[in-house]
Amino acid sequence: MSRSLLFKFLAIGLLMLLLLIPLAMIGNSIDERREYSEQVVRDIARSSAYSQTLVGPVLVVPYTKKERYWMLNNAKEKVLQERQVEDKLYFLPDSFRLNSAMTTESRQLGIYTARLYHADTLIDGHFSLPLNYGIQTNLADYTFHAPFVAMGISDIRGIKNSLRLTLNQQTYDFEPGSQLKILGDGVHAKLPKGVFSGVAVQAQTLPFSFALQLQGTEQFHVAPVGKESHVELHSDWPHPRFLGDFLPVERSIDHTGFTARWQTSYFSTNFEEYFSTCIRTTQCDPYQQRQFGVSLLEPVNLYVKSDRAIKYALLFIALTFASFFLFEVLKRLQVHPVQYGLVGLALAFFYLLLLALSEHIAFVAAYAISSFACVVLIGFYVSYVLQSVMRGAAFSMGLGFLYLLLYGLLSAEDYALLMGALLLFVVLGLFMLLTRKVDWYALGATNKTTNSAVSGTAYSAAQEH
């Protein structure tokens, strides 16, 4: 290989490395704009309501228990002492059902948008109280106080209605605060002390229900608190992403929205054991992770698409430079590295133009405008570099086809690797096919002779003048 050809390859390689600098700067801009967008969403949520998580309801029975123990007095004699210990009994629902109809709206701050939802929710089911609250020994030592029903709601600012609990055909008002650290924020409904007729001599089934109008931002989670839990969500959002430890057993998604239904059992969730462990110890991670729900975020937002596009930038530039070099080899043209560099910069600015436009218009339209502008600019410039309008037009068509393929890679996330591999293979095959008769050893010498001839002609012309 001649020195001139080797120099050309090294120059092109160096240009590609240098182009990583503006590409990295544009990539940082994408990350900064995405972070700022997420901050705006948090600001909007701060003034309305954050993502919501529902845990409960839980029936709580506070009690005081007499405990007797032996101790040594000052005379070193054993004496029987008595103390009062306060604690609570917790009862999770045997049956838990939640049915929610969710409508979404967009809240805008500047050019950024957050998605809020309004969930009209009905929660019902029943508690099963065991005989004597499940106390089997020393029942006389227990004094039971007024019970209450607690409901965990992660952001109570989103509650839009007056909450009233119907329990065993009686109605009680909810009050702010869950009264249980394990539930966090929420509400509770106090029950009369004698609501279970003193000590629960007989086992009882207590049906409950209440309506909840809740506002939140972008995500909605539910904890499967029942031995049997049934949750059904309906929404007008057509791009749900289901989250958590359990996927819906049934779901239907179309352009008008989605419907999803979850069903869990005591055996599949083990929620009661995790709940009890979290109360007794500080090991609450399994309890906190036993949730499922839905995200109403955009499936792939403009920043994700822009970031994914710029990951292909170096490959895109390499393919364009390869096409440029192919014209240079086949048509015996001389293209200066500066001209390669200007074309590379135009390709890099495509991503900045795409980011800027997509924040104001739809991503598809921003992509079309940005790619069209770059194709026209590069095509106009290349027609002079390649000394032919037809060559410039052919180069522009090839570049436009590459932009079309890039959009296909961005849209087909699951098949991006396959499409990218096929594209590279086809380009390599085409390059090999078109250059199969090129004498690479003679190429540099030919270019050198051509340059000498051109210089000699120019010198003779100068002498004649």
Side-chain angles (χ1 to χ4, degrees):
M1 183 181 295
S2 67
R3 290 184 179 179
S4 59
L5 193 59
L6 178 61
F7 172 76
K8 180 59 69 69
F9 281 137
L10 292 176
I12 292 174
L14 180 60
L15 279 172
M16 292 182 64
L17 291 177
L18 291 175
L19 285 171
L20 290 176
I21 298 174
L23 290 176
M25 295 174 66
I26 296 171
N28 289 336
S29 295
I30 293 174
D31 293 336
E32 290 173 1
R33 303 294 287 184
R34 173 168 47 193
E35 185 176 337
Y36 185 68
S37 172
E38 292 171 354
Q39 181 60 47
V40 168
V41 171
R42 289 192 291 269
D43 290 342
I44 293 175
R46 189 179 298 116
S47 60
S48 55
Y50 292 103
S51 298
Q52 296 287 8
T53 300
L54 303 183
V55 184
V58 180
L59 177 60
V60 185
V61 182
Y63 67 87
T64 302
K65 179 185 177 183
K66 294 179 183 178
E67 286 190 353
R68 300 173 181 84
Y69 61 98
W70 294 95
M71 67 173 294
L72 295 176
N73 60 12
N74 294 333
K76 305 298 182 182
E77 297 174 338
K78 282 188 176 182
V79 293
L80 185 64
Q81 297 289 324
E82 186 177 280
R83 62 186 175 191
Q84 302 287 333
V85 177
E86 295 184 351
D87 207 342
K88 299 180 181 70
L89 297 174
Y90 303 90
F91 300 95
L92 297 177
D94 266 28
S95 172
F96 170 76
R97 291 183 298 272
L98 182 148
N99 194 304
S100 183
M102 304 173 67
T103 57
T104 60
E105 66 165 312
S106 296
R107 293 280 179 89
Q108 215 162 1
L109 183 60
I111 62 173
Y112 300 104
T113 302
R115 191 163 305 282
L116 274 65
Y117 60 80
H118 304 273
D120 289 337
T121 305
L122 177 64
I123 298 174
D124 65 351
H126 70 267
F127 296 104
S128 292
L129 283 184
L131 179 67
N132 296 332
Y133 295 119
I135 306 299
Q136 298 179 354
T137 57
N138 301 322
L139 182 62
D141 293 338
Y142 288 81
T143 301
F144 297 100
H145 307 298
F148 62 92
V149 174
M151 182 73 192
I153 302 173
S154 59
D155 192 343
I156 59 175
R157 296 176 305 156
I159 300 174
K160 298 303 178 184
N161 65 318
S162 299
L163 294 179
R164 295 179 63 83
L165 170 70
T166 300
L167 179 72
N168 203 24
Q169 299 181 351
Q170 299 295 318
T171 302
Y172 309 94
D173 290 328
F174 276 107
E175 298 178 15
S178 68
Q179 305 297 303
L180 294 180
K181 184 178 180 180
I182 188 174
L183 297 184
D185 288 338
V187 295
H188 72 283
K190 296 179 180 178
L191 308 179
K193 186 174 181 179
V195 67
F196 304 134
S197 63
V199 174
V201 179
Q202 297 180 347
Q204 301 182 50
T205 298
L206 303 172
F208 67 85
S209 66
F210 60 94
L212 172 63
Q213 295 177 8
L214 193 64
Q215 177 180 293
T217 304
E218 298 188 336
Q219 292 188 12
F220 180 75
H221 302 266
V222 178
V225 295
K227 290 186 176 179
E228 289 189 2
S229 297
H230 302 266
V231 175
E232 189 165 341
L233 299 180
H234 309 267
S235 176
D236 58 1
W237 180 244
H239 306 294
R241 182 162 63 95
F242 300 109
L243 309 169
D245 286 353
F246 304 91
L247 291 175
V249 294
E250 293 180 6
R251 62 181 182 179
S252 173
I253 304 172
D254 57 30
H255 67 281
T256 62
F258 75 90
T259 297
R261 185 174 69 84
W262 289 262
Q263 181 174 337
T264 62
S265 69
Y266 173 79
F267 300 100
S268 63
T269 64
N270 203 19
F271 190 86
E272 186 172 1
E273 180 178 347
Y274 293 138
F275 185 86
S276 300
T277 301
C278 184
I279 291 174
R280 297 193 307 269
T281 68
T282 58
Q283 299 178 5
C284 292
D285 287 346
Y287 152 74
Q288 293 171 348
Q289 292 171 1
R290 279 297 186 267
Q291 300 173 1
F292 53 78
V294 64
S295 170
L296 306 180
L297 292 168
E298 290 284 351
V300 181
N301 65 29
L302 67 96
Y303 299 107
V304 173
K305 289 182 178 179
S306 297
D307 184 63
R308 192 183 301 163
I310 206 168
K311 284 180 169 58
Y312 293 99
L314 196 60
L315 172 63
F316 201 80
I317 291 172
L319 292 176
T320 306
F321 280 6
S323 303
F324 221 9
F325 184 74
L326 194 61
F327 271 103
E328 186 176 357
V329 169
L330 296 179
K331 301 300 181 181
R332 297 292 193 270
L333 299 171
Q334 285 292 300
V335 182
H336 197 275
V338 171
Q339 295 169 321
Y340 276 92
L342 290 174
V343 172
L345 282 175
L347 293 172
F349 272 98
F350 159 77
Y351 299 98
L352 184 60
L353 192 59
L354 174 63
L355 172 64
L357 287 174
S358 59
E359 288 187 330
H360 298 275
I361 60 177
F363 185 84
V364 176
Y367 190 93
I369 294 172
S370 302
S371 58
F372 178 77
C374 288
V375 167
V376 171
L377 175 62
I378 294 173
F380 173 78
Y381 180 71
V382 165
S383 64
Y384 287 90
V385 174
L386 300 181
Q387 302 173 13
S388 170
V389 175
M390 293 300 295
R391 293 170 186 171
F395 189 88
S396 299
M397 290 177 62
L399 186 60
F401 182 68
L402 284 180
Y403 276 117
L404 187 62
L405 287 177
L406 176 61
Y407 187 79
L409 289 174
L410 298 180
S411 302
E413 182 179 0
D414 294 336
Y415 300 96
L417 179 60
L418 176 61
M419 292 177 64
L422 291 176
L423 173 62
L424 285 176
F425 185 80
V426 170
V427 169
L428 177 61
L430 185 61
F431 191 87
M432 293 172 66
L433 176 65
L434 294 175
T435 61
R436 67 189 185 278
K437 296 182 180 181
V438 173
D439 186 349
W440 295 99
Y441 285 103
L443 182 62
T446 302
N447 289 339
K448 186 174 181 180
T449 303
T450 302
N451 289 340
S452 299
V454 171
S455 299
T457 303
Y459 177 77
S460 300
Q463 288 291 98
E464 290 177 1
H465 284 284

